[in-house]
Every structure is written in C-alpha cells, then in structure tokens.
Amino acid sequence: MLSIHVIIVTYNAMKWAERCFTSLKHSSLPVQCIAIDNGSSDGTQEYIKNHFPEVHFIQSEQNLGFGKANNLGIETAYKKGADFFYLMNQDAWLYEDSMEKLLEVYHSHPNKEEIGIISPIHIDGTEKKLDIFLDKYIAHNYEKTRLISDLYFQTLKPYYEISFVNAAHWLLPKKTIETVGGFNPYFFHYGEDNEYVNRLHFHRKKIILVPGSKVVHDGKQSLGKVDYTRYKDLSLETKIINPNLPDALKSEKKALLQSIFKNSASGKLRISKQLVEKYKKISAEADILSKIRTEVSQEGPTFLKI
C-alpha cells in the first residue's frame, strides 16, 4: 500500500485544529500525519498531543516560518518511506474522498514523471464558494485550460494543467521531492510557494488541478491579504533567483534604476526612496542571490537533508 504523509505546520491553530486533524481520520485512503509546531501560545501543542496521539508531533524551539518547518516535515516523512507528501495548511481540511480522487488521477495519468504537484479544488470556509485565490489561478490559465467554459457546459475533464496554485493543499509525489527539493529557506512566510513553482517549471514538471477532488481552505478571502508591514515583499528577489529568467539580476537592477529616475523626475520622492533601498538591498545580496540561483538550478533534493 502506498504511504501518504500529510504535513501540517501549526502556529496558534486552535481555531481549526479539531476539524483539520479529524478530517485526516476520515480519509478513505489511510494517511499518516506529521505536525510541526512553530511555537504556538494558544495550547495547540497540548490539544494535538491529547486528542490526536497518532500524529507524529514535532515541536520547533523557534518559529521557523512556513517553508523551513515544512522542510522538517518532508525530511521526516521521507525517512519514514513516504511515497506521497501532502502539504496542508492548518486552516484547512479534507473530505472523505479528497485524497482518493487525487490518487485516482495520478494513477491514470499517461505520464506520471511529468507530474510535479497535484492539487484538489480549494473551496473557502463557507464551503459554498471556490477559494478566491483558486478563482484567480483558474482565470489566469483561461487560454490553456478553458476550465471556466467546461464548468459552464458541464464537460469537465479529469484534470487540468495550470501554471500555479498556492501551497494550502499540495500533493507531491516522491519524485518531485527528489528532483525539485524542499522550500527555499530564504523565505520566511509568503512567497515560498511561488519560488518553488518556478523551480518546478524549470525542471519540466507540471501542476495538475483535479476537479473531482474538493478540499477546504478557510483562509482570508482577499487577494491583498499579505501585510507587507509584517512580512517582506520578496517578489523582486524571487525573479532574480528564478532559473527560468536569463540575466535576471542585471535586468532587475536596470529596471529599478529606470523606475528610480522616473519617480524622482515626477516628484514621487517617497516611492523613489523605497526603490533606492531595494536597489541597495539586492546589490548587497547579489552574491547570496546568485548562489541560491545556482543551487535551485540543480536537480536533486535541494534544501533538504535526506
């Protein structure tokens, strides 16, 4: 029987813990769970240990952030012999047949080697609408998938290839871990899934969305939910280390200089000052970013100790 390990990073997860972890028990396909706690202060640790003793619980001594904590779970699952790694948010849960429907598509796929990520359909916490971010990702792929048309005409296919889906619910075959690796520790929280998908595409693997599998992600339904006063906006750095983009560091520095000049000339001094600070930052980190870019270009379990 295939070994499926669900990996959940928790941080003050009491609002969702019961529904999240209980849903795993009801999966029609047996799963094992690894929970990595990032230093919760609301009793999450004790609740999981007392109510879900079957969970392999790891307490981090510090808040590792989303990516590093997931890497710890992936390493643990790999050593336990996992065939599939299911990364799931703490504010999320499965339905009974969610995993079964995903694996059905995997097993029937004509070229399993090209599959990087298998995603179910994410619905929001009301369980009456699609998660707003999935709406966005489907819309961005309108030309390739025609999924919206197929929904309207009720002619859905078993799966669709899309360019991106966020990491609230990712099913990764073992080969993905061995080829692409884990999350980039340069990212603390937010943006790590974008960077991972860039590497996935670089290594010629695909993301497939499975309409027959549905799950819940009870996240904030706002496209502007990231508070960049709390978390760094690393979108520019993500471009620089993207191995799909040639001469990215040079191109982005040139674009920044042009923007600085344009905003200064038009009197937008506050924006110009922010751009200058960003230019200084990426210039100072040029060697680090170049090293990361070289590292993520290599095939293998990057950023993982396996």
Short mmCIF file of all heavy atoms in Angstrom, two decimals, residues 164-224:
data_model
loop_
_atom_site.label_atom_id
_atom_site.label_comp_id
_atom_site.label_asym_id
_atom_site.label_seq_id
_atom_site.Cartn_x
_atom_site.Cartn_y
_atom_site.Cartn_z
N PHE A 164 0.05 27.74 -11.71
CA PHE A 164 0.34 27.96 -10.28
C PHE A 164 -0.88 27.64 -9.43
O PHE A 164 -2.02 27.86 -9.85
CB PHE A 164 0.75 29.42 -10.03
CG PHE A 164 1.05 29.72 -8.58
CD1 PHE A 164 2.29 29.40 -8.04
CD2 PHE A 164 0.09 30.28 -7.75
CE1 PHE A 164 2.56 29.65 -6.70
CE2 PHE A 164 0.35 30.53 -6.42
CZ PHE A 164 1.59 30.21 -5.89
N VAL A 165 -0.63 27.12 -8.24
CA VAL A 165 -1.64 27.02 -7.20
C VAL A 165 -0.92 27.14 -5.87
O VAL A 165 0.21 26.65 -5.72
CB VAL A 165 -2.44 25.70 -7.30
CG1 VAL A 165 -1.55 24.48 -7.02
CG2 VAL A 165 -3.64 25.70 -6.36
N ASN A 166 -1.51 27.82 -4.92
CA ASN A 166 -0.83 28.06 -3.65
C ASN A 166 -0.73 26.77 -2.83
O ASN A 166 -1.46 25.80 -3.04
CB ASN A 166 -1.53 29.16 -2.85
CG ASN A 166 -2.97 28.83 -2.54
OD1 ASN A 166 -3.73 28.47 -3.43
ND2 ASN A 166 -3.35 28.95 -1.29
N ALA A 167 0.17 26.77 -1.85
CA ALA A 167 0.55 25.55 -1.14
C ALA A 167 -0.36 25.20 0.03
O ALA A 167 0.06 24.51 0.96
CB ALA A 167 1.99 25.65 -0.68
N ALA A 168 -1.61 25.63 0.01
CA ALA A 168 -2.54 25.25 1.08
C ALA A 168 -2.88 23.77 1.02
O ALA A 168 -3.14 23.13 2.04
CB ALA A 168 -3.83 26.08 0.99
N HIS A 169 -2.88 23.21 -0.20
CA HIS A 169 -3.14 21.79 -0.42
C HIS A 169 -2.30 21.33 -1.61
O HIS A 169 -2.69 21.51 -2.76
CB HIS A 169 -4.62 21.53 -0.75
CG HIS A 169 -5.57 21.67 0.40
ND1 HIS A 169 -5.83 20.65 1.29
CD2 HIS A 169 -6.35 22.71 0.79
CE1 HIS A 169 -6.74 21.05 2.17
NE2 HIS A 169 -7.06 22.31 1.90
N TRP A 170 -1.15 20.75 -1.34
CA TRP A 170 -0.29 20.23 -2.40
C TRP A 170 -0.03 18.76 -2.17
O TRP A 170 0.43 18.37 -1.07
CB TRP A 170 1.07 20.93 -2.39
CG TRP A 170 1.17 22.23 -3.10
CD1 TRP A 170 0.18 22.96 -3.68
CD2 TRP A 170 2.39 22.99 -3.30
NE1 TRP A 170 0.68 24.10 -4.23
CE2 TRP A 170 2.02 24.15 -4.02
CE3 TRP A 170 3.70 22.79 -2.96
CZ2 TRP A 170 2.96 25.13 -4.38
CZ3 TRP A 170 4.64 23.75 -3.30
CH2 TRP A 170 4.28 24.90 -4.02
N LEU A 171 -0.26 17.93 -3.18
CA LEU A 171 0.16 16.54 -3.14
C LEU A 171 1.40 16.40 -4.02
O LEU A 171 1.33 16.64 -5.23
CB LEU A 171 -0.95 15.61 -3.62
CG LEU A 171 -0.60 14.11 -3.62
CD1 LEU A 171 -0.35 13.61 -2.20
CD2 LEU A 171 -1.71 13.30 -4.28
N LEU A 172 2.52 16.03 -3.40
CA LEU A 172 3.79 15.91 -4.11
C LEU A 172 4.21 14.44 -4.18
O LEU A 172 4.40 13.80 -3.14
CB LEU A 172 4.89 16.69 -3.39
CG LEU A 172 4.63 18.16 -3.05
CD1 LEU A 172 5.80 18.74 -2.29
CD2 LEU A 172 4.37 18.97 -4.31
N PRO A 173 4.36 13.90 -5.38
CA PRO A 173 4.94 12.56 -5.49
C PRO A 173 6.39 12.59 -5.01
O PRO A 173 7.07 13.62 -5.04
CB PRO A 173 4.87 12.26 -6.99
CG PRO A 173 3.86 13.23 -7.54
CD PRO A 173 3.96 14.45 -6.69
N LYS A 174 6.89 11.46 -4.59
CA LYS A 174 8.25 11.35 -4.08
C LYS A 174 9.27 11.88 -5.08
O LYS A 174 10.26 12.52 -4.71
CB LYS A 174 8.55 9.89 -3.74
CG LYS A 174 9.89 9.65 -3.08
CD LYS A 174 10.05 8.18 -2.72
CE LYS A 174 11.37 7.92 -2.01
NZ LYS A 174 11.50 6.48 -1.64
N LYS A 175 9.02 11.63 -6.37
CA LYS A 175 9.95 12.07 -7.41
C LYS A 175 10.09 13.58 -7.44
O LYS A 175 11.16 14.11 -7.78
CB LYS A 175 9.48 11.55 -8.79
CG LYS A 175 10.49 11.74 -9.89
CD LYS A 175 11.77 10.95 -9.64
CE LYS A 175 12.73 11.09 -10.81
NZ LYS A 175 14.03 10.41 -10.54
N THR A 176 9.03 14.31 -7.10
CA THR A 176 9.12 15.77 -7.04
C THR A 176 10.10 16.20 -5.97
O THR A 176 10.94 17.10 -6.18
CB THR A 176 7.74 16.39 -6.76
OG1 THR A 176 6.84 16.04 -7.80
CG2 THR A 176 7.82 17.91 -6.64
N ILE A 177 10.02 15.56 -4.81
CA ILE A 177 10.93 15.87 -3.70
C ILE A 177 12.38 15.59 -4.12
O ILE A 177 13.29 16.37 -3.84
CB ILE A 177 10.56 15.05 -2.45
CG1 ILE A 177 9.14 15.39 -1.99
CG2 ILE A 177 11.58 15.28 -1.34
CD1 ILE A 177 8.91 16.83 -1.62
N GLU A 178 12.58 14.49 -4.82
CA GLU A 178 13.94 14.09 -5.20
C GLU A 178 14.49 14.92 -6.36
O GLU A 178 15.70 14.98 -6.54
CB GLU A 178 13.93 12.61 -5.59
CG GLU A 178 13.63 11.69 -4.41
CD GLU A 178 13.51 10.23 -4.79
OE1 GLU A 178 13.21 9.95 -5.97
OE2 GLU A 178 13.70 9.37 -3.91
N THR A 179 13.60 15.56 -7.11
CA THR A 179 14.05 16.36 -8.27
C THR A 179 14.11 17.85 -7.95
O THR A 179 15.08 18.53 -8.32
CB THR A 179 13.09 16.14 -9.45
OG1 THR A 179 13.04 14.77 -9.78
CG2 THR A 179 13.53 16.95 -10.67
N VAL A 180 13.08 18.36 -7.29
CA VAL A 180 12.98 19.81 -7.03
C VAL A 180 13.46 20.16 -5.63
O VAL A 180 14.03 21.22 -5.40
CB VAL A 180 11.52 20.29 -7.24
CG1 VAL A 180 11.41 21.80 -7.04
CG2 VAL A 180 11.02 19.89 -8.61
N GLY A 181 13.21 19.28 -4.66
CA GLY A 181 13.65 19.51 -3.29
C GLY A 181 12.56 20.08 -2.40
O GLY A 181 11.37 19.83 -2.59
N GLY A 182 12.99 20.87 -1.42
CA GLY A 182 12.07 21.47 -0.46
C GLY A 182 11.96 22.97 -0.67
O GLY A 182 12.38 23.51 -1.70
N PHE A 183 11.38 23.65 0.31
CA PHE A 183 11.20 25.10 0.21
C PHE A 183 12.53 25.83 0.45
O PHE A 183 13.39 25.37 1.19
CB PHE A 183 10.17 25.58 1.23
CG PHE A 183 8.75 25.23 0.86
CD1 PHE A 183 8.04 24.28 1.59
CD2 PHE A 183 8.12 25.85 -0.20
CE1 PHE A 183 6.74 23.95 1.25
CE2 PHE A 183 6.81 25.53 -0.55
CZ PHE A 183 6.12 24.57 0.19
N ASN A 184 12.63 26.99 -0.17
CA ASN A 184 13.83 27.81 -0.07
C ASN A 184 13.86 28.55 1.27
O ASN A 184 12.97 29.36 1.55
CB ASN A 184 13.81 28.83 -1.23
CG ASN A 184 15.11 29.57 -1.38
OD1 ASN A 184 15.86 29.75 -0.43
ND2 ASN A 184 15.38 30.04 -2.58
N PRO A 185 14.86 28.30 2.12
CA PRO A 185 14.92 28.94 3.45
C PRO A 185 15.14 30.45 3.40
O PRO A 185 15.06 31.11 4.44
CB PRO A 185 16.09 28.22 4.13
CG PRO A 185 16.92 27.68 3.01
CD PRO A 185 15.96 27.35 1.91
N TYR A 186 15.38 31.00 2.22
CA TYR A 186 15.49 32.47 2.08
C TYR A 186 14.16 33.13 2.41
O TYR A 186 14.11 34.29 2.83
CB TYR A 186 15.92 32.80 0.65
CG TYR A 186 16.14 34.27 0.38
CD1 TYR A 186 17.34 34.89 0.75
CD2 TYR A 186 15.17 35.04 -0.25
CE1 TYR A 186 17.55 36.24 0.50
CE2 TYR A 186 15.37 36.39 -0.51
CZ TYR A 186 16.56 36.98 -0.13
OH TYR A 186 16.75 38.32 -0.38
N PHE A 187 13.07 32.38 2.26
CA PHE A 187 11.72 32.90 2.50
C PHE A 187 11.23 32.45 3.87
O PHE A 187 11.27 31.25 4.18
CB PHE A 187 10.76 32.41 1.42
CG PHE A 187 11.11 32.87 0.03
CD1 PHE A 187 12.11 32.22 -0.69
CD2 PHE A 187 10.47 33.96 -0.53
CE1 PHE A 187 12.46 32.65 -1.96
CE2 PHE A 187 10.81 34.40 -1.81
CZ PHE A 187 11.81 33.75 -2.52
N PHE A 188 10.73 33.38 4.66
CA PHE A 188 10.21 33.04 5.99
C PHE A 188 8.72 32.69 5.93
O PHE A 188 8.28 31.64 6.37
CB PHE A 188 10.43 34.20 6.96
CG PHE A 188 9.87 33.94 8.34
CD1 PHE A 188 10.54 33.10 9.21
CD2 PHE A 188 8.68 34.53 8.76
CE1 PHE A 188 10.02 32.83 10.48
CE2 PHE A 188 8.16 34.28 10.01
CZ PHE A 188 8.84 33.43 10.88
N HIS A 189 7.93 33.59 5.36
CA HIS A 189 6.49 33.37 5.27
C HIS A 189 5.94 34.21 4.11
O HIS A 189 6.18 35.41 4.08
CB HIS A 189 5.80 33.75 6.58
CG HIS A 189 4.38 33.28 6.68
ND1 HIS A 189 4.00 32.01 6.34
CD2 HIS A 189 3.25 33.92 7.07
CE1 HIS A 189 2.69 31.87 6.54
NE2 HIS A 189 2.22 33.02 6.97
N TYR A 190 5.27 33.54 3.22
CA TYR A 190 4.72 34.10 1.97
C TYR A 190 5.80 34.19 0.89
O TYR A 190 6.91 34.65 1.14
CB TYR A 190 4.08 35.48 2.17
CG TYR A 190 2.82 35.45 2.99
CD1 TYR A 190 2.74 36.11 4.22
CD2 TYR A 190 1.70 34.74 2.56
CE1 TYR A 190 1.58 36.06 4.98
CE2 TYR A 190 0.55 34.68 3.32
CZ TYR A 190 0.49 35.35 4.53
OH TYR A 190 -0.64 35.29 5.28
N GLY A 191 5.43 33.72 -0.29
CA GLY A 191 6.31 33.77 -1.44
C GLY A 191 7.08 32.49 -1.69
O GLY A 191 7.59 32.28 -2.80
N GLU A 192 7.17 31.62 -0.66
CA GLU A 192 7.96 30.40 -0.84
C GLU A 192 7.33 29.44 -1.85
O GLU A 192 8.03 28.72 -2.56
CB GLU A 192 8.19 29.67 0.49
CG GLU A 192 6.95 29.26 1.27
CD GLU A 192 6.33 30.42 2.01
OE1 GLU A 192 6.97 31.00 2.88
OE2 GLU A 192 5.15 30.72 1.69
N ASP A 193 5.99 29.47 -1.95
CA ASP A 193 5.35 28.58 -2.92
C ASP A 193 5.55 29.08 -4.36
O ASP A 193 5.71 28.29 -5.29
CB ASP A 193 3.87 28.35 -2.61
CG ASP A 193 3.08 29.61 -2.34
OD1 ASP A 193 3.68 30.72 -2.38
OD2 ASP A 193 1.88 29.51 -2.07
N ASN A 194 5.57 30.41 -4.54
CA ASN A 194 5.87 30.97 -5.87
C ASN A 194 7.26 30.55 -6.33
O ASN A 194 7.46 30.14 -7.48
CB ASN A 194 5.79 32.50 -5.85
CG ASN A 194 4.39 33.00 -5.57
OD1 ASN A 194 3.98 33.10 -4.42
ND2 ASN A 194 3.64 33.31 -6.61
N GLU A 195 8.22 30.67 -5.43
CA GLU A 195 9.60 30.32 -5.77
C GLU A 195 9.72 28.83 -6.06
O GLU A 195 10.44 28.42 -6.99
CB GLU A 195 10.53 30.73 -4.62
CG GLU A 195 12.01 30.72 -4.97
CD GLU A 195 12.66 29.35 -4.82
OE1 GLU A 195 12.13 28.52 -4.06
OE2 GLU A 195 13.70 29.13 -5.46
N TYR A 196 9.01 28.01 -5.29
CA TYR A 196 9.05 26.56 -5.51
C TYR A 196 8.49 26.20 -6.89
O TYR A 196 9.07 25.38 -7.61
CB TYR A 196 8.25 25.84 -4.42
CG TYR A 196 8.47 24.34 -4.40
CD1 TYR A 196 9.45 23.78 -3.59
CD2 TYR A 196 7.70 23.49 -5.19
CE1 TYR A 196 9.67 22.42 -3.57
CE2 TYR A 196 7.91 22.13 -5.17
CZ TYR A 196 8.90 21.59 -4.36
OH TYR A 196 9.11 20.23 -4.35
N VAL A 197 7.39 26.84 -7.25
CA VAL A 197 6.77 26.55 -8.54
C VAL A 197 7.69 26.98 -9.69
O VAL A 197 7.74 26.31 -10.73
CB VAL A 197 5.38 27.23 -8.64
CG1 VAL A 197 4.86 27.22 -10.07
CG2 VAL A 197 4.40 26.52 -7.73
N ASN A 198 8.43 28.06 -9.52
CA ASN A 198 9.41 28.45 -10.54
C ASN A 198 10.40 27.31 -10.79
O ASN A 198 10.73 26.99 -11.94
CB ASN A 198 10.17 29.70 -10.12
CG ASN A 198 9.34 30.96 -10.17
OD1 ASN A 198 8.31 31.00 -10.83
ND2 ASN A 198 9.78 31.99 -9.47
N ARG A 199 10.88 26.71 -9.72
CA ARG A 199 11.82 25.60 -9.85
C ARG A 199 11.15 24.38 -10.47
O ARG A 199 11.77 23.65 -11.26
CB ARG A 199 12.38 25.23 -8.48
CG ARG A 199 13.41 26.21 -7.97
CD ARG A 199 14.06 25.67 -6.71
NE ARG A 199 13.27 25.95 -5.53
CZ ARG A 199 13.16 25.14 -4.49
NH1 ARG A 199 13.74 23.97 -4.50
NH2 ARG A 199 12.47 25.51 -3.44
N LEU A 200 9.91 24.16 -10.10
CA LEU A 200 9.15 23.03 -10.64
C LEU A 200 9.08 23.12 -12.16
O LEU A 200 9.34 22.15 -12.88
CB LEU A 200 7.75 23.04 -10.04
CG LEU A 200 6.89 21.81 -10.26
CD1 LEU A 200 7.18 20.77 -9.18
CD2 LEU A 200 5.41 22.17 -10.22
N HIS A 201 8.76 24.32 -12.66
CA HIS A 201 8.69 24.52 -14.11
C HIS A 201 10.07 24.38 -14.76
O HIS A 201 10.19 23.83 -15.86
CB HIS A 201 8.11 25.90 -14.43
CG HIS A 201 6.66 26.04 -14.09
ND1 HIS A 201 5.72 25.12 -14.48
CD2 HIS A 201 5.97 27.01 -13.39
CE1 HIS A 201 4.52 25.50 -14.05
NE2 HIS A 201 4.66 26.64 -13.39
N PHE A 202 11.09 24.86 -14.07
CA PHE A 202 12.44 24.77 -14.61
C PHE A 202 12.85 23.31 -14.82
O PHE A 202 13.54 22.98 -15.79
CB PHE A 202 13.44 25.45 -13.66
CG PHE A 202 14.86 25.42 -14.14
CD1 PHE A 202 15.28 26.24 -15.18
CD2 PHE A 202 15.78 24.56 -13.55
CE1 PHE A 202 16.59 26.20 -15.63
CE2 PHE A 202 17.10 24.52 -14.00
CZ PHE A 202 17.50 25.34 -15.04
N HIS A 203 12.40 22.45 -13.91
CA HIS A 203 12.71 21.02 -14.01
C HIS A 203 11.66 20.26 -14.81
O HIS A 203 11.57 19.04 -14.73
CB HIS A 203 12.86 20.43 -12.61
CG HIS A 203 14.06 20.94 -11.86
ND1 HIS A 203 15.35 20.69 -12.26
CD2 HIS A 203 14.16 21.72 -10.74
CE1 HIS A 203 16.20 21.27 -11.43
NE2 HIS A 203 15.50 21.90 -10.50
N ARG A 204 10.87 21.02 -15.59
CA ARG A 204 9.92 20.46 -16.57
C ARG A 204 8.87 19.56 -15.93
O ARG A 204 8.50 18.51 -16.48
CB ARG A 204 10.67 19.72 -17.68
CG ARG A 204 11.56 20.62 -18.51
CD ARG A 204 12.24 19.83 -19.63
NE ARG A 204 13.01 20.72 -20.49
CZ ARG A 204 14.25 21.12 -20.23
NH1 ARG A 204 14.85 20.72 -19.13
NH2 ARG A 204 14.89 21.93 -21.06
N LYS A 205 8.39 19.98 -14.78
CA LYS A 205 7.28 19.27 -14.15
C LYS A 205 6.04 20.16 -14.17
O LYS A 205 6.14 21.38 -14.28
CB LYS A 205 7.64 18.84 -12.73
CG LYS A 205 8.67 17.71 -12.71
CD LYS A 205 8.83 17.11 -11.34
CE LYS A 205 9.74 15.90 -11.37
NZ LYS A 205 9.11 14.75 -12.04
N LYS A 206 4.88 19.52 -14.04
CA LYS A 206 3.62 20.23 -14.21
C LYS A 206 2.78 20.23 -12.93
O LYS A 206 2.94 19.37 -12.06
CB LYS A 206 2.82 19.60 -15.35
CG LYS A 206 3.51 19.69 -16.70
CD LYS A 206 2.69 19.02 -17.79
CE LYS A 206 3.37 19.15 -19.15
NZ LYS A 206 2.58 18.50 -20.23
N ILE A 207 1.88 21.20 -12.88
CA ILE A 207 0.87 21.26 -11.81
C ILE A 207 -0.46 20.86 -12.44
O ILE A 207 -0.87 21.43 -13.45
CB ILE A 207 0.74 22.68 -11.23
CG1 ILE A 207 2.09 23.17 -10.70
CG2 ILE A 207 -0.31 22.70 -10.12
CD1 ILE A 207 2.09 24.64 -10.34
N ILE A 208 -1.11 19.87 -11.84
CA ILE A 208 -2.42 19.49 -12.36
C ILE A 208 -3.49 19.70 -11.29
O ILE A 208 -3.28 19.42 -10.12
CB ILE A 208 -2.44 18.05 -12.91
CG1 ILE A 208 -2.07 17.03 -11.85
CG2 ILE A 208 -1.51 17.93 -14.10
CD1 ILE A 208 -2.25 15.59 -12.34
N LEU A 209 -4.60 20.24 -11.74
CA LEU A 209 -5.74 20.53 -10.87
C LEU A 209 -6.82 19.49 -11.14
O LEU A 209 -7.17 19.23 -12.30
CB LEU A 209 -6.27 21.94 -11.18
CG LEU A 209 -7.46 22.44 -10.37
CD1 LEU A 209 -7.06 22.67 -8.92
CD2 LEU A 209 -7.98 23.74 -10.98
N VAL A 210 -7.36 18.90 -10.08
CA VAL A 210 -8.30 17.78 -10.20
C VAL A 210 -9.69 18.23 -9.75
O VAL A 210 -9.95 18.36 -8.55
CB VAL A 210 -7.83 16.58 -9.35
CG1 VAL A 210 -8.82 15.42 -9.47
CG2 VAL A 210 -6.43 16.14 -9.78
N PRO A 211 -10.61 18.50 -10.68
CA PRO A 211 -11.95 18.98 -10.32
C PRO A 211 -12.75 17.98 -9.48
O PRO A 211 -13.63 18.37 -8.72
CB PRO A 211 -12.63 19.19 -11.68
CG PRO A 211 -11.52 19.34 -12.65
CD PRO A 211 -10.41 18.48 -12.14
N GLY A 212 -12.44 16.69 -9.60
CA GLY A 212 -13.19 15.69 -8.86
C GLY A 212 -12.83 15.60 -7.39
O GLY A 212 -13.51 14.91 -6.62
N SER A 213 -11.75 16.28 -6.99
CA SER A 213 -11.32 16.27 -5.59
C SER A 213 -11.51 17.66 -5.00
O SER A 213 -11.01 18.64 -5.54
CB SER A 213 -9.85 15.86 -5.49
OG SER A 213 -9.40 15.91 -4.14
N LYS A 214 -12.21 17.72 -3.89
CA LYS A 214 -12.53 19.00 -3.27
C LYS A 214 -12.02 19.02 -1.84
O LYS A 214 -12.09 18.01 -1.13
CB LYS A 214 -14.04 19.21 -3.38
CG LYS A 214 -14.73 19.98 -2.35
CD LYS A 214 -16.22 20.10 -2.68
CE LYS A 214 -17.05 19.22 -1.79
NZ LYS A 214 -18.48 19.55 -1.85
N VAL A 215 -11.51 20.17 -1.40
CA VAL A 215 -10.99 20.36 -0.05
C VAL A 215 -11.35 21.78 0.41
O VAL A 215 -11.77 22.61 -0.40
CB VAL A 215 -9.45 20.18 0.01
CG1 VAL A 215 -9.04 18.76 -0.33
CG2 VAL A 215 -8.76 21.17 -0.93
N VAL A 216 -11.13 22.04 1.68
CA VAL A 216 -11.44 23.37 2.22
C VAL A 216 -10.16 24.10 2.63
O VAL A 216 -9.26 23.50 3.21
CB VAL A 216 -12.38 23.27 3.44
CG1 VAL A 216 -12.65 24.67 4.03
CG2 VAL A 216 -13.69 22.60 3.06
N HIS A 217 -10.11 25.37 2.30
CA HIS A 217 -9.07 26.26 2.81
C HIS A 217 -9.77 27.48 3.38
O HIS A 217 -10.27 28.33 2.64
CB HIS A 217 -8.10 26.68 1.70
CG HIS A 217 -7.05 27.64 2.16
ND1 HIS A 217 -6.46 28.58 1.35
CD2 HIS A 217 -6.48 27.81 3.39
CE1 HIS A 217 -5.58 29.28 2.04
NE2 HIS A 217 -5.58 28.84 3.28
N ASP A 218 -9.82 27.54 4.70
CA ASP A 218 -10.56 28.60 5.39
C ASP A 218 -9.69 29.84 5.56
O ASP A 218 -9.53 30.39 6.65
CB ASP A 218 -11.02 28.08 6.76
CG ASP A 218 -11.97 29.04 7.47
OD1 ASP A 218 -12.63 29.83 6.78
OD2 ASP A 218 -12.03 29.00 8.72
N GLY A 219 -9.10 30.29 4.47
CA GLY A 219 -8.23 31.46 4.51
C GLY A 219 -9.00 32.74 4.26
O GLY A 219 -10.15 32.73 3.83
N LYS A 220 -8.34 33.86 4.52
CA LYS A 220 -8.94 35.17 4.30
C LYS A 220 -9.22 35.35 2.81
O LYS A 220 -8.33 35.16 1.97
CB LYS A 220 -8.00 36.26 4.80
CG LYS A 220 -8.58 37.67 4.70
CD LYS A 220 -7.60 38.69 5.27
CE LYS A 220 -8.15 40.10 5.17
NZ LYS A 220 -7.19 41.11 5.68
N GLN A 221 -10.45 35.69 2.48
CA GLN A 221 -10.85 35.80 1.07
C GLN A 221 -10.60 37.22 0.55
O GLN A 221 -11.51 37.98 0.25
CB GLN A 221 -12.32 35.41 0.93
CG GLN A 221 -12.59 33.95 1.26
CD GLN A 221 -11.83 33.00 0.35
OE1 GLN A 221 -12.12 32.90 -0.84
NE2 GLN A 221 -10.85 32.29 0.90
N SER A 222 -9.32 37.53 0.44
CA SER A 222 -8.90 38.83 -0.07
C SER A 222 -7.60 38.66 -0.82
O SER A 222 -6.63 38.10 -0.28
CB SER A 222 -8.71 39.83 1.08
OG SER A 222 -8.06 41.00 0.63
N LEU A 223 -7.54 39.14 -2.06
CA LEU A 223 -6.33 39.00 -2.85
C LEU A 223 -5.18 39.83 -2.31
O LEU A 223 -4.02 39.58 -2.60
CB LEU A 223 -6.61 39.37 -4.31
CG LEU A 223 -7.62 38.47 -5.05
CD1 LEU A 223 -7.83 38.97 -6.48
CD2 LEU A 223 -7.16 37.02 -5.06
N GLY A 224 -5.51 40.82 -1.48
CA GLY A 224 -4.47 41.66 -0.89
C GLY A 224 -4.25 41.35 0.57
O GLY A 224 -4.02 42.25 1.38
#
